Amino acid sequence: MEKMFYRSVTEQLKRAATRAVLGLRGFRSDALREHLRAMLEKAPGEDNAFLADIVFEATFGWHPADVTLGGLAGKLLNSNLVNAMRNPPKGLAEDYSFPARRKPYLHQLQAWRNLIEKTPPHSVLVSSGTGSGKTECFLVPILNDLANELSTKSGPLVGVRALFLYPLNALIKSQRDRLIAWSEPFGGNIRYCLYNGDTPEEKRMEWQSEVPDRRKLRASPPPILVTNATMLEYMLVRDADRPIIEQSKGKLRWIVIDEAHTYLGSQSAELTLMLRRVLHTFGCSPDEVHFIATSATITDQKQNETGQLRNFLADIAGAPIERVSVILGRRKVPPLPDPLAVLPEGTLDIEAMRRLSPERLFDTLAAWPKIREMRATLVQKASPLSKLSRLIYGNAAEKNLIKTLSLLDLCVLAKDPKETPFLPLRGHIFQRAVNGIWACANNTCPARSGTHLDSEYWPFGKIFLERRTTCDACNCPVFELVQCGECGAEHLSAHEVFKDGRERLLQTTYPQDEDEFQQELEPLEEEDSEEEAEKHQEPEQGLPRLIVGRDAGLPVGILQDGLLDWDREHDWIIYLSPPDNENRLVCPNCRKPEQNWRLFQPVRIGAPFLLQAAIPTLLQHLPPFRNGQEPLPFSGRRLLGFTDSRQGAARFAAKIQLETERNFVRSVLYHTVADRARPGDAGKIRRLREEIEGLEKASESQPILKGLIDEKRRELARIESPPLGRLKWHEATDKLLSNDGFKRWLLPPLQDQTFGLNDRQLSELCLM
């Protein structure tokens, strides 16, 4: 980790978010733009900050068992399995070898003993943090069971013995390499199949242990079937999958439920009922099956120990609770040495500590009681930055939040003589999506005072980032801010309704949520059909109205409940923009009439856009991937992203790829043009200035020199003015084609994705 990692990432993420949000929306009001900038640049943990309170957790290593893998061979574990884990096949993306001298984690060994040694079949719920080896907790006992069965018969095992249920296809695919690594050494006798909607009808085999398609799966079901709840439901009722069940009757011994915390409420009930049907269909009873559930999410370990999680798994499995165990992963936290001297509070000098060696820094941090207390707090439970700031400095003021971030960085960098960090950390960084901006309609709102909104150019009151009906400062009604799609001017959107003999203004609600991709859609042309425009209209809510600035609308009073006071007898006065002759809303700034609802858009900036801005910052702080091979994009730095939406993931992937290509081409063009715009000769500029100064003195007695002085001044101005960098179209094309990065990384995928375009045409396409 580079020095000041979390502080650097936080500062750069704030700057990236500021540029992205303000640049995307192009807010026309300086007051609003500067107010949002101030909010964006708040330290995480402050009220209304765009970067939410960062949550930190200690990441000391997991508690190891007191025995090695080799020490378990021929005792708890089948020797053939141990050899397979020690020597997986080459050619996999990662090294899955488990050396004989390596000790498993304590929670892994506990799971193995519960699942292998106990009879009748025992069930286990494993709850441990991310990266703690939960997969090994169930995969090793299952493979051990299959290896033991294989030693009593010849040929490949046919029929499903183990059913793995994963909630996401991405999680299913993530297990492929590990299954290959530890199953392939058995020569095809232990096989598996990843069965989901993407499984092809027929495919060439790459590994003996993998059943790659549906045809082979139905002809000879493998002992391990990895699937999801939807595919399992299909398999139970689909005739085509009947051969899988027929060849697996009475053989099912293991059911694994990964990410068990995702099954809540009705989902949990549905899963329970489906597993009952699975047992009935496969001809098995709950007493004959091991049920294993895993989760990285637990709420309170005391609750777990009282049996709530045991009850959860027992209910799903239909097994007696005495046959269910809950196994918790625990970290091994090395104790701190007693300090040589206790340093007084208030003498934390972060700048001085930065210059210390890792070992000296370790001893220095260990000498402060507050820092020892902070370490103990994070070991017990993940904590937000603001809480840690209050613990160390007594409050969560911005300057103290920033100092706490620096202090946490020092805790990671400090190491004892055994290279153990004082406090290894994982940070959970949350960025606020903008699901709308709401503003108080009162232009004399007291909350404006002392902020950028206190300006004659801001026609409204306090702004909010969550929907609310009234202002908490003056009780005036609040309406959502919209921008004109033509000029970007900001107004408030409302609907006028007539009820009980009175007119009233209500908030407008918009059908789209936080998808900023909608903002990039072109507005409908005037000649587009009414049917197309109607398709995009919002639900009927009354007569649409725009609340605008003082000089752009008709004054009317408004009461707290939105009632309009045409006699203006109340303190709150708002200004409504009148519709045109065709009863259409018109932007008072650019006079553009609203052809359809798209002209005035609410502010929506969602996670995909903010991630697009944040990813380069996060990648920049990761260590480069050095493997001695040819250069890689971004020095080989990589980042893995997840989303709960298939469509969102597809659009985000396409969007970020397109923006990456655009930014690369922009960078090449910018630097080429900037290189051609070289500044004037500094020596010549100095000589000209000296000549002009001498001529000006001489011109007092010789006025004839004034013409020469003017000529010299024009020459000086020409040299000092930066010349324009010019790049012709064909020169730009040639520049791209000669760029190593363009040829190495950007051009090959474009060649695959286009139909016969040559390299010059692709280069011109990128310029366009």
Side-chain angles (χ1 to χ4, degrees):
M1 186 194 78
E2 75 171 55
K3 292 182 182 294
M4 302 297 109
F5 175 86
Y6 284 112
R7 178 169 177 178
S8 298
V9 165
T10 301
E11 293 299 318
Q12 293 196 35
L13 279 177
K14 288 193 295 183
R15 287 197 290 269
T18 302
R19 291 193 300 267
V21 172
L22 299 184
L24 174 70
R25 298 306 309 187
F27 292 103
R28 192 174 183 87
S29 166
D30 290 340
L32 176 62
R33 185 167 58 250
E34 293 308 311
H35 187 80
L36 289 173
R37 185 190 303 278
M39 296 179 70
L40 282 160
E41 294 178 349
K42 283 184 175 182
E46 286 195 286
D47 291 340
N48 287 321
F50 272 70
L51 207 58
D53 214 352
I54 303 177
V55 176
F56 288 98
E57 63 172 319
T59 54
F60 288 101
W62 301 97
H63 208 296
D66 56 1
V67 62
T68 64
L69 181 70
L72 297 171
K75 299 173 183 176
L76 181 67
L77 299 180
N78 186 291
S79 298
N80 292 330
L81 172 61
V82 172
N83 290 332
M85 294 171 66
R86 289 174 55 196
N87 302 293
K90 306 297 183 184
L92 297 173
E94 295 184 38
D95 180 11
Y96 287 99
S97 60
F98 200 127
R101 289 179 294 178
R102 181 188 297 172
K103 294 180 178 180
Y105 295 134
L106 181 60
H107 60 273
Q108 291 176 333
L109 181 60
Q110 290 173 341
W112 297 352
R113 292 197 184 281
N114 273 273
L115 294 170
I116 294 174
E117 294 181 334
K118 291 189 176 182
T119 56
H122 212 70
S123 296
V124 165
L125 190 148
V126 180
S127 187
S128 188
T130 302
S132 62
K134 291 188 295 297
T135 299
E136 287 84 349
C137 288
F138 61 81
L139 184 57
V140 170
I142 291 173
L143 291 174
N144 186 75
D145 179 40
L146 299 178
N148 287 339
E149 182 182 357
L150 197 61
S151 63
T152 64
K153 56 181 66 175
S154 60
L157 300 178
V158 178
V160 177
R161 273 80 164 168
L163 195 58
F164 295 8
L165 289 178
Y166 285 84
L168 297 173
N169 283 344
L171 295 172
I172 294 176
K173 293 177 181 177
S174 70
Q175 299 303 324
R176 178 176 182 266
D177 282 0
R178 192 192 311 267
L179 285 165
I180 291 172
W182 294 349
S183 301
E184 192 70 15
F186 288 93
N189 290 325
I190 295 179
R191 299 167 299 139
Y192 75 94
C193 179
L194 304 183
Y195 190 31
N196 57 34
D198 297 330
T199 306
E201 197 64 35
E202 194 164 358
K203 183 183 177 182
R204 181 178 61 85
M205 288 186 65
E206 298 179 36
W207 300 91
Q208 296 179 82
S209 57
E210 182 180 35
V211 176
D213 58 50
R214 302 184 184 211
R215 183 175 177 180
K216 297 180 182 67
L217 168 63
R218 291 159 182 162
S220 178
I224 299 176
L225 184 62
V226 187
T227 187
N228 55 48
T230 302
M231 290 302 295
L232 182 58
E233 182 76 36
Y234 289 155
M235 194 173 74
L236 294 177
V237 299
R238 194 159 46 191
D239 285 341
D241 289 334
R242 199 70 200 166
I244 302 173
I245 295 172
E246 293 298 332
Q247 297 178 75
S248 306
K249 287 274 190 181
K251 298 178 181 179
L252 185 65
R253 299 194 292 268
W254 303 86
I255 294 180
V256 178
I257 305 165
D258 194 51
E259 304 293 336
H261 61 273
T262 61
Y263 297 98
L264 300 173
S266 61
Q267 284 184 311
S268 178
E270 289 173 7
L271 177 66
T272 302
L273 293 174
M274 184 173 67
L275 291 181
R276 300 288 190 278
R277 292 170 55 206
V278 167
L279 294 175
H280 176 74
T281 305
F282 278 77
C284 303
S285 71
D287 294 340
E288 301 170 324
V289 177
H290 300 267
F291 288 87
I292 306 158
T294 68
S295 173
T297 304
I298 55 176
T299 53
D300 185 349
Q301 291 190 5
K302 291 181 181 178
Q303 290 182 348
N304 297 336
E305 291 165 357
T306 59
Q308 289 195 11
L309 289 182
R310 292 179 68 199
N311 287 330
F312 168 78
L313 185 56
D315 289 344
I316 285 184
I321 194 167
E322 58 270 15
R323 294 188 195 168
V324 176
S325 298
V326 173
I327 295 174
L328 304 175
R330 301 188 186 279
R331 297 186 183 274
K332 184 179 182 181
V333 182
L336 288 176
D338 294 330
L340 298 176
V342 177
L343 298 177
E345 302 293 345
T347 59
L348 282 171
D349 188 342
I350 292 175
E351 292 302 319
M353 287 192 289
R354 285 189 189 188
R355 298 188 287 270
L356 299 177
S357 67
E359 290 186 17
R360 183 78 181 94
L361 180 58
F362 189 101
D363 294 335
T364 304
L365 292 171
W368 265 295
K370 287 289 186 185
I371 296 181
R372 295 174 73 99
E373 185 181 350
M374 179 179 72
R375 181 181 186 267
T377 298
L378 287 170
V379 165
Q380 291 296 320
K381 188 177 181 180
S383 298
L385 176 65
S386 58
K387 178 181 178 180
L388 301 177
S389 178
R390 284 190 287 270
L391 174 63
I392 298 294
Y393 296 106
N395 61 64
E398 180 179 5
K399 65 176 183 179
N400 290 334
L401 289 168
I402 293 171
K403 287 196 294 185
T404 304
L405 278 173
S406 298
L407 196 56
L408 290 168
D409 282 322
L410 292 174
C411 289
V412 177
L413 293 168
K415 296 181 180 179
D416 66 9
K418 295 181 179 180
E419 291 292 306
T420 302
F422 180 88
L423 179 60
L425 288 173
R426 177 184 293 133
H428 301 264
I429 301 175
F430 303 92
Q431 200 165 24
R432 180 197 295 270
V434 183
N435 295 322
I437 297 177
W438 288 262
C440 168
N442 176 18
N443 61 7
T444 61
C445 177
R448 291 168 46 125
S449 178
T451 73
H452 292 285
L453 300 177
D454 194 8
S455 164
E456 59 179 312
Y457 300 108
W458 177 244
F460 311 116
K462 183 178 180 180
I463 68 169
F464 304 90
L465 297 178
E466 294 87 19
R467 183 182 296 277
R468 55 184 303 127
T469 55
T470 57
C471 176
D472 59 2
C474 65
N475 291 324
C476 183
V478 167
F479 300 93
E480 187 164 4
L481 184 140
V482 292
Q483 287 184 287
C484 172
E486 186 73 15
C487 67
E490 297 90 2
H491 314 294
L492 300 185
S493 177
H495 270 75
E496 182 182 336
V497 298
F498 186 80
K499 187 176 182 181
D500 299 330
R502 299 286 299 274
E503 293 95 346
R504 187 191 305 269
L505 281 188
L506 301 178
Q507 284 187 359
T508 302
T509 56
Y510 290 89
Q512 74 262 44
D513 47 21
E514 53 82 39
D515 187 5
E516 75 286 344
F517 287 94
Q518 295 183 17
Q519 297 168 357
E520 298 191 349
L521 300 177
E522 292 294 324
L524 295 175
E525 298 293 338
E526 293 186 16
E527 62 266 28
D528 281 349
S529 67
E530 292 182 9
E531 180 183 348
E532 182 67 17
E534 220 171 79
K535 202 164 58 175
H536 295 284
Q537 282 192 332
E538 58 197 42
E540 183 62 36
Q541 303 181 79
L543 298 174
R545 295 286 183 258
L546 282 182
I547 304 174
V548 297
R550 180 191 300 269
D551 301 327
L554 303 174
V556 59
I558 189 170
L559 280 66
Q560 183 177 351
D561 56 1
L563 284 174
L564 294 179
D565 173 23
W566 296 101
D567 297 325
R568 301 194 299 260
E569 295 177 350
H570 293 79
D571 293 337
W572 298 331
I573 304 296
I574 62 173
Y575 298 86
L576 296 179
S577 176
D580 64 6
N581 294 333
E582 299 181 31
N583 205 31
R584 299 176 300 182
L585 291 180
V586 177
C587 176
N589 183 67
C590 65
R591 308 308 304 170
K592 176 78 173 178
E594 187 173 45
Q595 301 296 331
N596 55 69
W597 71 276
R598 289 186 180 185
L599 180 61
F600 299 104
Q601 288 282 358
V603 178
R604 301 286 191 269
I605 302 174
F609 178 80
L610 292 170
L611 275 176
Q612 181 178 306
I615 282 173
T617 298
L618 295 173
L619 283 175
Q620 179 183 344
H621 286 80
L622 296 176
F625 179 72
R626 305 189 188 282
N627 59 355
Q629 299 176 359
E630 61 180 23
L632 298 170
F634 228 126
S635 300
R637 296 175 176 90
R638 291 171 291 182
L639 181 147
L640 183 63
F642 290 91
T643 176
D644 57 1
S645 164
R646 287 187 187 178
Q647 292 181 346
R651 285 190 296 176
F652 177 60
K655 176 73 175 175
I656 198 168
Q657 177 67 24
L658 182 60
E659 282 303 306
T660 301
E661 294 172 0
R662 283 177 173 166
N663 287 336
F664 178 86
V665 175
R666 287 176 185 136
S667 174
V668 172
L669 297 179
Y670 171 82
H671 287 290
T672 304
V673 172
D675 190 54
R676 295 190 175 197
R678 297 188 180 280
D681 187 324
K684 190 172 183 179
I685 290 173
R686 186 179 63 255
R687 289 193 299 272
L688 275 173
R689 286 177 176 167
E690 291 172 352
E691 288 178 18
I692 292 172
E693 186 178 352
L695 288 171
E696 285 175 340
K697 292 179 180 178
S699 67
E700 295 176 1
S701 59
Q702 301 181 50
I704 194 171
L705 294 176
K706 288 185 177 180
L708 181 58
I709 292 172
D710 291 340
E711 183 180 339
K712 293 286 185 181
R713 283 175 175 164
R714 285 193 294 271
E715 184 180 0
L716 177 63
R718 180 178 57 78
I719 295 175
E720 286 185 325
S721 300
L724 291 175
R726 288 186 170 86
L727 191 64
K728 296 180 180 179
W729 182 265
H730 74 273
E731 292 175 326
T733 306
D734 292 339
K735 186 66 180 177
L736 278 182
L737 289 173
S738 64
N739 183 278
D740 185 63
F742 180 81
K743 292 187 295 182
R744 186 191 300 270
W745 299 317
L746 205 153
L747 196 55
L750 289 176
Q751 291 168 336
D752 294 338
Q753 296 161 9
T754 53
F755 302 94
L757 295 182
N758 60 43
D759 290 355
R760 178 163 289 275
Q761 290 172 318
L762 291 173
S763 176
E764 291 183 335
L765 175 64
C766 291
L767 291 176
M768 292 175 186

